Structures are given as structure tokens and as C-alpha cells.
Amino acid sequence: MVEQVELHRGLRDVFFDNTESSNVIGDIGRLIYRGYDIHDLAEKSTFEETVYLMMYGALPTQKELDGFDKALRASRAIPAEVLTIIATIKDAHPMDVLRTALSALAAFEPEVDDVSHEATLRKGIKISAQAATIVAAHHRIRIGEKPLDPDSSLNHAGNFLYMLLGEKPDDDTTELMGKDLIVHLDHGSNASSFAARVTASTLADLHGAVVTGVSTLKGPLHGGAAEGVMKMALEIGDDANVETYLAGKRERGEKIMGFGHAVYRAEDPRARHLREGSRVLAEKKGEPQWFQILSKVEEQMRPYAERGICVNVDFWSGSVYYLLGIPEDLFISIFAIARVPGYVVQILEQQKANILLRPLLQYVGPHDLVYTPIEQRG
Amino acid sequence: MVEQVELHRGLRDVFFDNTESSNVIGDIGRLIYRGYDIHDLAEKSTFEETVYLMMYGALPTQKELDGFDKALRASRAIPAEVLTIIATIKDAHPMDVLRTALSALAAFEPEVDDVSHEATLRKGIKISAQAATIVAAHHRIRIGEKPLDPDSSLNHAGNFLYMLLGEKPDDDTTELMGKDLIVHLDHGSNASSFAARVTASTLADLHGAVVTGVSTLKGPLHGGAAEGVMKMALEIGDDANVETYLAGKRERGEKIMGFGHAVYRAEDPRARHLREGSRVLAEKKGEPQWFQILSKVEEQMRPYAERGICVNVDFWSGSVYYLLGIPEDLFISIFAIARVPGYVVQILEQQKANILLRPLLQYVGPHDLVYTPIEQRG
């Protein structure tokens, strides 16, 4: 007989550890990185500084930031062999290419199996820089262009846009991309960071744990919504069509992309920083209709906010990427570029007080079956 | 103020779902696959039949088994591009190469993002066959030999040994390798299968979830002990040295490799099938000393069995691999070859009644920190 046990399906209500890195307070829509509100960081900080804060636990002095930024810039190049691997599988989904290339980087990492704090941190800084290079290089290769060398005069966000699109972005655009990366950096026990921790908990190496994170982020229940929002905006086409479009969706009982979140019951605090950027960018690009359409969708959806179905981060990030001329199938990869340093932070935290993450399954299958020879089966 | 919550570190006592695939009964040392005792399967079944049982839920008729075996054999080849990728990173750890090559296979899989049961099963059968080919091909390439084409006259275990070592194994050896793969196939909620489920729970694709599994298996707390046992046997060198060696280990408070298990408090039921195989193989290879040494270690360790520190599966599998002439750094990869179909089984089960696996972290970091401009930090 099977003893009945309490099941925690999805583990939604189970705390598996303490953290000092990020805190998602879903009911009031707050996101905290190491004690700092995401709004302060998005408005006042830079991506480099925020990554430093997350990896080292405190905001850097100018000297510390300079050293860290220098290390990041110096790490951007990827081995020619990894570029060859990317070219070999160039027609695959960008997330499959990113996952494969990150995995291959392990082959060129002399400290690959060193799970000490120092080595993991060194490798973590490097892979955070390299992830952006992989995504950009893959895109160049698949459109028949030569991958561009990183430009060390540009910061992480600016250099990524340059390597991806072949043009140095202006300051506003660089800043907007930096904000986007800041707000996507970490998010409590999200599924992909948790999966990366499970891998790290066996004392597997950093590259393996980051690969796990990227594998997990690819799933539509996790990383996949920004793509859908812009598809919706394109389907709507004009802000005069918003009401009819939403009414049709409601009638057919279909979900509206970019609304609702597993944790937030209030407005996703990450959305507002991309909303303003999207507005400015749409004006600048001479395509204000996308901002108008999405604003109207947001306005029409306001009544649902009371039921906790609010705008999420994907709602505005999709239009930002679109206006920057980034193809839709790269949207998750940009999320990944921002989240890779977040995985590093959580992997470091897991290693610091490691315990193997191994929950239980309740066996409810058959018992004591007798093995019959194959001739006797029918 | 932080509300105090109950922490489940390691999730050791938490049941996250039901399963019908395998059942580990640690206190009495039993392992069940879909109702059948592992002893029956190891003694009477074949790897192909056991994989069928696990994937489809029931033992096959002869006709079903023939069809399944045919599909497995037909799936062994890997694209030339993946062979090129393997060659590009041939000097990396075999698990890093396996992880990268499995990830790259996604680029050649037309159904890659189809998470339906049927597509996942089709891809799962294919990747189970291909994993063995990758490990063998990589080894051939790194020793400067051409990878061998799969031989469809051989079964899965026999063909793997043939592709790896360049010689068709005899029937006893093929059977022993088959047993080894059977006992390593699945093992309840082990860390790597759990990680694969987390990835699958975002509706990510099979390849990503299997890559997660392999990334996680690589960790020394999970897949890495078979290597250590044979190192120990080589260090001991002669069975006359066993007592002195163990006494030294005890004095220095060091662990004896191949003993103890996270779940088993009795003898690991997987060990006995490899023990007998190791004995016969050692005789045949004219190297009986390894079996004698390990038997004596086992005997000397018997008093610890009362405290639940018993022989585990790695204790005997390492000597089997060694006697077959397989290099030590491939031991985990062989574990992976056996476990990949196990991941497929658990991924299918996760997809069947999916819920996003997303436990919680308790934030214990600082609160309400004020962002100071960088010039004011010191």
C-alpha cells in the first residue's frame, strides 16, 4: 500500500532556500536587487554597475566599476572555433544556437571544472560578456554578414546593438537597451534560475549551469511572451481597431499577450521603464502608431488590473526591440543576455551554502508485476 | 520585517508530483521500473525492451519490440555537421562534448519545438540512440581515429561498444553492458531528471530538457563516482594492501569511494548485477586482481552497512568499464547514455500533466537601501 503524502505540485508554495540577491514582492509590484528598488537602478544606474552590485553584493566605487567594466569589455571575444560552430547551425532557433555555443565555450575555458567562488566569478563575468557576442554573431552570420569584432569604446548594451545591427547606436538607444537589460537581470526564483541552481547543486560547472538556465528560459511559459505582443500590435495595425480586436479575443476566450504574471498581482515594476522608452523611440523612428496601439490596449485592459491581470515586462520590451529593428525570433535571446549574469549570481549563491536539490516523486504506478517471457505476451 | 517561513533546503522532504515510472525504496534497497523489480529486468530483459517498458508503460509484444528496436537502430547516425562540431571541441571533457553535441542536434530536428506527446516520443527515441553515437564518435576522434558507422546488426549496447572500441564485443560483454545500461536508466527524482523536468515545465523542447539533464549529471555529487572507485583500486594495487589502505583513509577521515547513497540505506540493488559481471570479466581479461581488491574492500566495509553505508552502483560499474578498456573520463558519459532515455520518460511524464516548476526563495537581504551617486561612495 502506498502511504498518502502531501503533494506540492509545481513547488509553488515551497521555499527551498534563502537569498540575498533579488526579491519579487508580487502583490504590491516591487522588485528589489540587493536592497535597491528596481526603479532607482533602472533610472540611475547602468547595466555594468547593476551586474557588479548583483555579483559582489554592493554598489562599486568608481575604481571598482572601472576594473569590472574593463574585465567585461576584455571578455567579449569568442574563440574562432565557436564562431565556426555557430555558422554550422546558423539556421536553428537563436536560443538553440546560444545554448549550443555557450556549451561549446566550456571547451576553451581552462578553469572549466573549478567550482570555487573566485573561478566561478571569473568565468561568470566572461560568459556574461560572451553571451551577447554569440547572439550578435549568430544573427550576422545567418543574414550572410561577417560577424563584427566587439568595439571596446562602447558599453555592454551599446556594443551589443552595434555587433547585432552593424551601426553604433545613439546615446538614448544605448541607455534604453541598458535599462532593458537591468530590468531583466534577475527575478527571484524564476524557473530558469532555479534550474541553473539544481545543476550547480551537483557541483557541476558554471557553463553547464548557465546552459541549463538558457535551455529552460526558452520555454513559452517562461521567456516567450515579448514576441507575441508585437505580433498582436501588427495584427491590430491601427489604434482604431483596438476595441474590436480585444472584443474578438474576449469572445473567443483567448489570452491577451503581455498581461498577467505568475507572481505579480499589481503592475510589473519592470514595465514602466520600457513604456517611456518605447514612446520616445516610436516618435524618433517615425512609427508612433505602435506606441499608440499598445497604449490603447493597455488602457482597455485597465479594468482587468483589479483582478490582478496587469501589464507585464514583455508588453513594452517587444515594441522596443521591434522599433530597434531586431527580428522577433531574437527577443528571447535578448532576455537571455540579460539573465545570464543573473544565473551567475544565483549559481554563486547556491555554491556558497550548497545542498543537493533533490525533491521527491510519489510513486503511484503498479506494484509487484511479474515479468513474463515475451512469447507469453499477447 | 520579514515573515519567517519554513525552509525546505535541498527540497529533500518535499514531494513535487506523482510518478508512474520508477520507484526507489531506499530503506530496503529496492528499485522498481513501472512495477517490475530491477532484478527481474537486469536478469531477464534487454535494454531495448526496458526502454520500451519505460517509454510506453508496458512490456512490448515481440512485434512491438521489433518495431521499436528498428526505430532505435535507424536513429543512430548523427549529422556530419555534428561530427564536425565534436571534432572542433574534441579536447574538452566528454560530458561537455556530449552536452554540446546533443544541443546542436536540435538544429537538425524538424520537429524541434513540437512538445506534443507523439513528437516528444519520436525525438526521445532518436536522441536516446544518438547519445551513444556521440560519445563513441568523440572518443574515436580524440584518439585520432575515424568515427565508425553504426552497425545495425548489433543491439544498442553492442553497437555502442563496437563504435567506441572498434571491435565487435562478444555476447557476454554485450549482455553485461546491456545490464549496466538497464540499471542506470532511471532512478526516481534524481537531480538531473528533476532538472530536466524543470526545463520541460516551461514547455521548452525535448533537446533543451535533455541538455539540462546532462549538464546536471556531470556534477561530482551526482554522476561522478565510478571514476573514483577504479582510481582507488589502482592505488591499492594488490588485495594484500586493502586493510592498510582503508585504515589510512579512516585515520585521515576520508570517504571511501563507491559507498553510501543519498537514498539507499541498504545495498544499492543495482550493484549486484555488475558485481558478478565484473568477476567474470576480470577472469576473462586475465586481471582478477581488480575484482579481488574490490571484493576485499567491500568485505572490510561490511561493518558500516549497519549504519546505512553500503556499496552503491558506482562501486562495480567502474571496474566493469575499466576492464572493458574504457578510459576513466568516459565513465560519466556511459551513465549519461543510459540516463538519456530516462530523461525522456520523465519529460514525457512532466508534459502529460504539466505545471511550471517554480519554488520560492526567501529574501533575507537588505531592505530599502538608498541609491547614492558613485562619487559619494567610498
Side-chain angles (χ1 to χ4, degrees):
Chain A
M1 281 313 299
V2 182
E3 205 184 317
Q4 213 45 50
V5 299
E6 195 189 349
L7 280 192
H8 297 268
R9 294 198 74 236
L11 296 168
R12 299 289 173 95
D13 53 347
V14 179
F15 286 84
F16 75 94
D17 218 328
N18 289 321
T19 181
E20 299 184 5
S21 47
S22 68
N23 189 18
V24 183
I25 314 175
D27 48 349
I28 56 168
R30 284 192 71 190
L31 173 60
I32 308 294
Y33 288 174
R34 295 209 181 269
Y36 296 96
D37 198 291
I38 192 66
H39 299 311
D40 282 342
L41 294 168
E43 281 157 22
K44 300 172 189 167
S45 186
T46 62
F47 181 65
E48 288 77 359
E49 185 178 70
T50 306
V51 175
Y52 184 100
L53 167 69
M54 293 301 278
M55 288 190 179
Y56 291 89
L59 285 171
T61 62
Q62 188 65 56
K63 202 181 147 201
E64 287 166 339
L65 181 59
D66 291 347
F68 181 69
D69 192 16
K70 204 175 150 191
L72 264 178
R73 287 178 204 230
S75 304
R76 287 174 184 164
I78 57 176
E81 291 90 339
V82 176
L83 283 172
T84 306
I85 289 173
I86 292 170
T88 307
I89 54 171
K90 68 178 162 56
D91 297 322
H93 189 284
M95 284 293 277
D96 292 345
V97 176
L98 176 61
R99 184 186 66 215
T100 306
L102 289 170
S103 178
L105 281 177
F108 304 94
E109 176 52 62
E111 299 186 297
V112 59
D113 288 322
D114 187 340
V115 294
S116 68
H117 183 82
E118 293 69 25
T120 303
L121 188 54
R122 269 194 300 273
K123 291 183 287 183
I125 293 169
K126 209 158 138 187
I127 206 170
S128 297
Q130 290 172 318
T133 307
I134 291 168
V135 173
H138 170 227
H139 182 60
R140 302 290 294 177
I141 291 170
R142 70 175 179 164
I143 61 170
E145 304 274 356
K146 233 178 88 92
L148 292 168
D149 287 332
D151 181 336
S152 64
S153 76
L154 301 172
N155 71 12
H156 185 75
N159 177 62
F160 168 64
L161 289 175
Y162 162 68
M163 286 194 300
L164 182 73
L165 304 170
E167 234 175 77
K168 289 191 194 183
D170 63 31
D171 289 351
D172 287 352
T173 306
T174 300
E175 200 186 308
L176 179 59
M177 179 52 67
K179 274 191 213 304
D180 181 78
L181 296 177
I182 289 174
V183 301
H184 281 96
L185 177 53
D186 196 18
H187 207 247
S189 175
N190 59 91
S192 57
S193 300
F194 172 63
R197 279 181 182 259
V198 177
T199 297
S201 84
T202 68
L203 302 183
D205 57 287
L206 176 92
H207 284 77
V210 168
V211 165
T212 288
V214 170
S215 299
T216 308
L217 183 62
K218 191 189 165 196
L221 295 188
H222 189 2
E227 228 170 301
V229 173
M230 206 50 220
K231 266 182 203 147
M232 172 177 74
L234 290 161
E235 267 172 49
I236 296 174
D238 190 292
D239 64 348
N241 305 332
V242 168
E243 274 184 73
T244 323
Y245 179 88
L246 292 179
K249 281 276 187 189
R250 265 193 297 274
E251 248 167 54
R252 295 188 298 276
E254 290 170 9
K255 254 181 71 173
I256 313 295
M257 300 306 285
F259 286 84
H261 190 274
V263 180
Y264 292 117
R265 290 291 158 268
E267 188 186 291
D268 184 332
R270 302 169 295 179
R272 82 163 75 148
H273 302 282
L274 302 176
R275 184 185 204 280
E276 178 57 13
S278 174
R279 189 188 64 74
V280 173
L281 196 61
E283 289 289 345
K284 187 158 49 179
K285 298 276 177 183
E287 301 190 56
Q289 68 273 29
W290 307 120
F291 182 77
Q292 286 157 9
I293 290 168
L294 291 178
S295 289
K296 196 148 179 195
V297 171
E298 193 185 22
E299 189 191 300
Q300 295 275 323
M301 288 293 288
R302 205 139 297 162
Y304 295 88
E306 285 164 34
R307 295 193 229 154
I309 302 169
C310 303
V311 160
N312 64 37
V313 67
D314 294 327
F315 190 78
W316 290 110
S317 63
S319 64
V320 167
Y321 304 151
Y322 177 83
L323 289 163
L324 290 174
I326 299 173
E328 286 178 9
D329 68 351
L330 287 177
F331 291 6
I332 313 184
S333 304
I334 298 178
F335 189 167
I337 291 172
R339 190 57 61 91
V340 164
Y343 298 146
V344 174
V345 170
Q346 297 219 21
I347 292 162
L348 286 165
E349 198 168 69
Q350 179 67 31
Q351 288 175 341
K352 209 172 154 186
N354 190 51
I355 179 169
L356 186 69
L357 284 162
R358 194 191 197 284
L360 298 165
L361 282 164
Q362 158 82 344
Y363 183 73
V364 295
H367 286 270
D368 300 322
L369 296 184
V370 176
Y371 182 91
T372 50
I374 195 159
E375 317 81 66
Q376 292 169 28
R377 295 174 209 151
Chain B
M1 282 313 300
V2 181
E3 205 185 318
Q4 215 42 50
V5 298
E6 194 190 349
L7 280 192
H8 297 270
R9 294 198 75 235
L11 295 169
R12 299 290 174 95
D13 53 347
V14 179
F15 287 85
F16 75 95
D17 217 328
N18 289 321
T19 181
E20 298 183 8
S21 46
S22 68
N23 189 18
V24 183
I25 314 174
D27 49 349
I28 56 167
R30 282 193 72 189
L31 172 60
I32 308 294
Y33 287 175
R34 295 206 181 271
Y36 296 96
D37 198 291
I38 193 65
H39 299 309
D40 281 342
L41 294 168
E43 281 158 22
K44 300 173 190 165
S45 187
T46 62
F47 181 66
E48 287 77 358
E49 184 179 71
T50 307
V51 174
Y52 183 99
L53 167 70
M54 293 300 278
M55 289 189 177
Y56 292 88
L59 285 171
T61 62
Q62 189 65 55
K63 203 180 148 202
E64 287 166 338
L65 181 60
D66 291 345
F68 180 70
D69 191 18
K70 204 174 151 192
L72 264 179
R73 287 177 202 231
S75 304
R76 287 174 185 165
I78 57 177
E81 292 90 339
V82 176
L83 283 172
T84 307
I85 290 174
I86 292 170
T88 307
I89 54 171
K90 68 179 163 52
D91 297 323
H93 190 283
M95 284 294 277
D96 293 345
V97 176
L98 176 60
R99 184 186 66 215
T100 306
L102 289 170
S103 177
L105 281 178
F108 304 94
E109 175 51 63
E111 297 186 299
V112 60
D113 288 322
D114 187 339
V115 294
S116 69
H117 182 83
E118 293 69 25
T120 303
L121 188 55
R122 270 195 300 273
K123 292 183 286 183
I125 292 169
K126 210 158 137 185
I127 206 169
S128 298
Q130 290 172 319
T133 306
I134 291 168
V135 173
H138 170 226
H139 182 61
R140 301 291 293 177
I141 291 170
R142 70 175 179 165
I143 60 170
E145 303 274 355
K146 233 178 88 89
L148 293 168
D149 287 332
D151 181 336
S152 65
S153 76
L154 301 173
N155 71 13
H156 185 75
N159 176 62
F160 167 64
L161 289 175
Y162 162 69
M163 286 193 300
L164 182 74
L165 302 171
E167 233 175 77
K168 291 192 192 181
D170 62 32
D171 289 350
D172 286 352
T173 306
T174 300
E175 200 186 310
L176 179 59
M177 179 51 66
K179 272 191 216 303
D180 181 78
L181 296 177
I182 290 173
V183 301
H184 281 96
L185 176 54
D186 196 18
H187 207 246
S189 175
N190 59 92
S192 56
S193 300
F194 172 62
R197 278 181 183 259
V198 177
T199 297
S201 84
T202 69
L203 301 183
D205 56 287
L206 176 92
H207 284 77
V210 169
V211 165
T212 288
V214 170
S215 298
T216 308
L217 183 63
K218 191 191 165 195
L221 294 189
H222 189 2
E227 229 170 299
V229 173
M230 206 50 218
K231 267 182 202 145
M232 172 176 75
L234 290 161
E235 267 171 49
I236 296 174
D238 190 293
D239 65 349
N241 304 332
V242 167
E243 274 183 74
T244 323
Y245 179 89
L246 291 180
K249 280 274 185 188
R250 263 193 298 273
E251 249 167 53
R252 295 187 300 277
E254 290 170 9
K255 254 180 71 173
I256 313 294
M257 301 305 287
F259 285 85
H261 189 274
V263 180
Y264 291 117
R265 291 288 158 269
E267 188 187 290
D268 184 332
R270 302 169 296 179
R272 84 162 74 149
H273 302 283
L274 302 176
R275 184 185 204 281
E276 178 57 15
S278 174
R279 190 188 64 76
V280 173
L281 197 61
E283 289 289 344
K284 187 158 49 179
K285 299 276 177 183
E287 302 190 57
Q289 68 272 30
W290 307 120
F291 181 78
Q292 286 156 9
I293 290 168
L294 291 177
S295 288
K296 196 146 178 197
V297 171
E298 192 185 21
E299 189 192 300
Q300 295 275 322
M301 288 293 287
R302 204 139 296 161
Y304 294 88
E306 283 163 35
R307 297 193 230 153
I309 303 169
C310 303
V311 160
N312 64 37
V313 66
D314 294 325
F315 190 79
W316 291 110
S317 63
S319 64
V320 167
Y321 304 151
Y322 177 84
L323 289 163
L324 291 174
I326 299 174
E328 285 177 11
D329 68 351
L330 286 176
F331 290 5
I332 313 183
S333 304
I334 298 177
F335 190 167
I337 291 172
R339 190 57 61 91
V340 165
Y343 299 146
V344 175
V345 169
Q346 296 218 21
I347 292 162
L348 286 166
E349 198 168 69
Q350 180 66 32
Q351 290 174 340
K352 207 170 155 189
N354 190 50
I355 179 169
L356 187 68
L357 284 162
R358 194 192 196 284
L360 298 164
L361 282 164
Q362 157 82 342
Y363 182 73
V364 295
H367 286 269
D368 300 324
L369 296 184
V370 177
Y371 182 90
T372 50
I374 195 160
E375 317 80 66
Q376 293 170 26
R377 294 175 208 151

